[in-house]
Amino acid sequence: ELKVEQNPLFLSMQEGKNYTIYCNYSTTSDRLYWYRQDPGKSLESLFVLLSNGAVKQEGRLMASLDTKARLSTLHITAAVHDLSATYFCAVVRVAYSGAGSYQLTFGKGTKLSVIP
Amino acid sequence: GAGVSQSPRYKVAKRGQDVALRCDPISGHVSLFWYQQALGQGPEFLTYFQNEAQLDKSGLPSDRFFAERPEGSVSTLKIQRTQQEDSAVYLCASSPFDPWDTTYEQYFGPGTRLTVT
């Protein structure tokens, strides 16, 4: 059974500080996704990481993937209040070869609060 | 272009009632997924369609849950005899299943928040 673990689950940080969210997964997968969810809203795609060593950056967020360690990180640089949200990582499990039942398995999410 | 839409956005049902939740995927998207998100948790997979074929229903929690996509576009998730534990947000996602696009990215709708009283 594929398991995805995020830590921390709750993160309170001051504006201007840096921090990293970690995502570990239990079985082989070479596609990892990061989503953002604001309260009462749906999931907004942030990053798609396709291969070992992949690194993507958008603004103050940078995501990386180490498939050998089964680890992805989401690094926040100089946090601002607008980044307050819940961040999910998700991993693809291809259930059927060729049929593409590539369901996502999500972590529990990291609730980030950036304090002015 | 238009994204994934879901209706209703909010549904309150009395325990024992049947409910039907609708999903309109992005036009042309072959793949459609349903997920259930309990309060404070990550979404959990329910079922998957490729066109009109339901290829994976391993995540449906009980036989009270039923999903269909008869014409390969709009999908309906039906829950019979609702129970309090069914209270959650139900998210629909679609994906193009383009063999040239290996991201397998899924695009999520706004969700339907179901409350069973």
Side-chain angles (χ1 to χ4, degrees):
Chain A
E1 180 188 355
L2 174 58
K3 293 185 178 179
V4 180
E5 293 186 355
Q6 284 183 241
N7 69 84
L9 297 183
F10 298 93
L11 177 57
S12 180
M13 56 191 299
Q14 287 187 314
E15 280 192 330
K17 299 293 187 181
N18 304 333
Y19 210 85
T20 300
I21 299 170
Y22 297 89
C23 174
N24 289 89
Y25 54 98
S26 61
T27 62
T28 300
S29 175
D30 57 4
R31 287 171 181 79
L32 190 134
Y33 308 81
W34 284 98
Y35 289 90
R36 168 180 172 148
Q37 187 175 44
D38 292 286
K41 304 291 186 181
S42 190
L43 298 166
E44 174 191 354
S45 179
L46 294 174
F47 300 107
V48 180
L49 302 171
L50 297 182
S51 60
N52 188 41
V55 177
K56 290 197 173 180
Q57 184 165 3
E58 181 72 35
R60 300 174 188 276
L61 301 177
M62 183 174 71
S64 66
L65 178 62
D66 182 344
T67 58
K68 293 179 182 178
R70 298 177 186 165
L71 171 68
S72 180
T73 61
L74 181 66
H75 187 72
I76 303 157
T77 302
V80 293
H81 181 68
D82 285 351
L83 290 179
S84 296
T86 299
Y87 293 85
F88 292 95
C89 65
V91 175
V92 158
R93 179 175 79 88
V94 181
Y96 297 99
S97 176
S101 177
Y102 36 100
Q103 57 176 274
L104 294 172
T105 299
F106 286 83
K108 291 185 181 296
T110 297
K111 186 173 183 179
L112 171 66
S113 298
V114 181
I115 304 166
Chain B
V4 179
S5 61
Q6 293 185 245
S7 62
R9 293 293 313 278
Y10 303 92
K11 178 69 178 178
V12 178
K14 291 185 178 179
R15 191 171 56 183
Q17 283 185 331
D18 298 348
V19 298
L21 313 180
R22 177 188 169 106
C23 172
D24 281 89
I26 294 172
S27 178
H29 277 195
V30 169
S31 298
L32 186 145
F33 301 80
W34 284 98
Y35 293 86
Q36 180 190 59
Q37 186 176 22
L39 187 64
Q41 301 295 315
E44 292 190 355
F45 169 77
L46 293 176
T47 188
Y48 163 70
F49 289 87
Q50 187 176 85
N51 294 307
E52 69 278 3
Q54 188 175 20
L55 297 185
D56 188 351
K57 52 183 180 179
S58 61
L60 296 176
S62 78
D63 58 7
R64 297 186 295 104
F65 286 70
F66 172 76
E68 60 183 6
R69 194 186 185 198
E71 297 179 357
S73 55
V74 170
S75 177
T76 304
L77 176 67
K78 298 180 179 178
I79 309 173
Q80 297 177 326
R81 304 181 303 282
T82 53
Q83 304 294 317
Q84 281 194 315
E85 61 262 29
D86 300 335
S87 296
V89 174
Y90 290 86
L91 295 168
C92 174
S94 70
S95 183
F97 192 52
D98 179 346
W100 298 107
D101 175 7
T102 59
T103 66
Y104 295 160
E105 190 163 7
Q106 296 180 23
Y107 300 85
F108 284 82
T112 295
R113 182 177 296 276
L114 173 65
T115 303
V116 181
T117 61

